[in-house]
């Protein structure tokens, strides 16, 4: 029988669960993890199957002097063996609710035009898809 899927909001208390998780692009760095958790504007939810982290969604509330707070979704990922089970949808729904509760008045993200699974996810979540945006980066920000 498969382990039940549970969902969690990242806190200082449960952050160590992420160490050693293979769902991230790179190994979790203890210093970066502590910095992420220490910032109230940084939010993450994650999913577990038993004791294994199988997915996460993260982002940050962005503040600006002349705009309402907006939430930028930085990343959503689910391990390949747990994809197409609604986990990413559930993670995003929980992340969006946490962002709204924290005061965000808008939510946005960007993805590659050829990222068909991500675009399908965001459509399922009733996102408005825009066109004509161009992304620029410095110092290799888009390399990972």
């Amino acid at each position: 029988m498969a382990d039940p899927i549970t969902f969690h909001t990242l806190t200082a208390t449960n952050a160590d669960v992420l160490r050693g998780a293979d769902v991230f692009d790179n190994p979790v760095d203890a210093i970066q993890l502590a910095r992420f958790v220490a910032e109230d504007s940084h939010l993450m939810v994650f999913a577990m199957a038993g004791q294994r982290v199988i997915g996460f969604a993260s982002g940050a509330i962005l503040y600006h002097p002349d705009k309402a707070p907006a939430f930028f979704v930085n990343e959503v990922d689910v391990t390949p063996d747990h994809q197409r089970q609604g986990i990413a949808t559930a993670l995003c729904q929980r992340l969006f609710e946490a962002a709204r509760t924290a005061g965000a008045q808008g939510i946005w993200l960007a993805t590659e035009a050829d990222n068909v699974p991500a675009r399908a996810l965001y459509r399922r979540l009733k996102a408005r898809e825009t066109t004509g945006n161009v992304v620029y980066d410095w110092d290799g920000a888009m390399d990972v």
Side-chain angles (χ1 to χ4, degrees), residues 10-15 29-44 59:
L10 180 66
T11 66
T13 305
N14 64 16
D29 179 287
I31 294 170
Q32 294 297 78
L33 178 59
R35 287 178 177 161
F36 188 96
V37 171
E39 292 289 336
D40 289 341
S41 62
H42 292 177
L43 302 175
M44 180 183 291

Side-chain angles (χ1 to χ4, degrees), residues 16-140:
D16 280 342
V17 172
L18 300 183
R19 297 176 92 190
D22 62 358
V23 72
F24 297 99
D25 293 330
N26 301 295
V28 172
D29 179 287
I31 294 170
Q32 294 297 78
L33 178 59
R35 287 178 177 161
F36 188 96
V37 171
E39 292 289 336
D40 289 341
S41 62
H42 292 177
L43 302 175
M44 180 183 291
V45 294
F46 60 95
M48 296 184 73
Q51 299 301 308
R52 179 179 170 221
V53 177
I54 59 161
F56 75 97
S58 67
I61 297 175
L62 304 176
Y63 297 97
H64 198 271
D66 69 334
K67 295 175 182 69
F71 187 74
F72 170 68
V73 178
N74 186 50
E75 192 169 3
V76 179
D77 202 359
V78 174
T79 57
D81 59 326
H82 285 87
Q83 291 176 356
R84 303 196 54 78
Q85 297 178 31
I87 296 167
T89 300
L91 286 166
C92 287
Q93 289 169 332
R94 285 167 169 79
L95 184 66
F96 296 174
E97 183 59 32
R100 290 175 180 126
T101 298
Q105 296 179 29
I107 300 169
W108 68 281
L109 60 82
T111 194
E112 299 82 3
D114 64 351
N115 190 338
V116 175
R119 293 178 72 189
L121 168 64
Y122 305 137
R123 286 182 186 128
R124 272 194 308 280
L125 290 163
K126 308 290 188 227
R128 178 180 60 174
E129 186 171 296
T130 62
T131 60
N133 295 313
V134 178
V135 176
Y136 298 88
D137 77 290
W138 287 260
D139 304 324

